[in-house]
C-alpha cells in the first residue's frame, strides 16, 4: 500500500470533520489488524461499514489512476463522475 495523502480538514464543517475523523480512525484500526469488536467499540462502525470504507479508499481515482486514500472518507465526496 502506498502512502496516502493527508486531507486538509480546514474546509470541512464541524460535523463533516467529526464523521471524517471517525471513519479514518476505523480504517486505521482495520489496517493495524483490529478486530470487528474493537473497531465497533472505538468508532461505532460495524465491520461491514469499515469494509465499504476500505474499498472506497483503495478505489482508483478515474482522473489520476491513484488510490483515493483518505479523501474517500470525506462525507458526500464523489469518487467518480456520473456517466450516462
Amino acid at each position: 500500500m502506498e502512502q496516502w495523502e493527508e486531507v486538509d480538514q480546514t474546509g470541512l464543517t464541524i460535523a463533516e470533520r467529526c464523521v471524517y475523523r471517525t471513519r479514518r480512525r476505523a480504517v486505521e484500526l482495520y489496517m493495524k489488524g483490529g478486530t470487528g469488536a474493537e473497531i465497533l467499540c472505538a468508532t461505532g462502525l460495524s465491520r461491514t461499514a469499515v469494509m465499504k470504507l476500505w474499498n472506497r479508499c483503495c478505489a482508483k481515482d478515474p482522473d489520476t489512476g491513484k488510490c483515493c486514500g483518505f479523501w474517500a472518507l470525506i462525507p458526500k465526496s464523489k469518487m467518480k463522475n456520473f456517466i450516462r
Side-chain angles (χ1 to χ4, degrees):
M1 181 181 81
E2 62 198 53
Q3 184 66 28
W4 290 344
E5 285 182 42
E6 287 296 318
V7 174
D8 181 17
Q9 300 177 35
T10 56
L12 302 176
T13 65
I14 293 173
E16 290 172 335
R17 205 173 301 155
C18 288
V19 171
Y20 167 76
R21 288 178 181 167
T22 300
R23 290 176 176 179
R24 180 172 173 151
R25 174 106 170 100
V27 169
E28 287 175 339
L29 286 170
Y30 176 76
M31 289 189 317
K32 290 179 182 175
T35 65
E38 290 172 341
I39 295 170
L40 180 64
C41 184
T43 64
L45 295 174
S46 69
R47 179 171 169 76
T48 305
V50 175
M51 290 303 301
K52 288 179 183 177
L53 292 172
W54 174 256
N55 289 335
R56 267 184 77 132
C57 289
C58 293
K60 301 280 183 184
D61 183 335
D63 296 330
T64 63
K66 292 174 134 183
C67 283
C68 295
F70 293 126
W71 288 95
L73 303 177
I74 297 173
K76 301 177 189 169
S77 61
K78 286 187 170 185
M79 296 291 94
K80 54 186 168 185
N81 296 328
F82 176 74
I83 300 173
R84 180 171 258 180

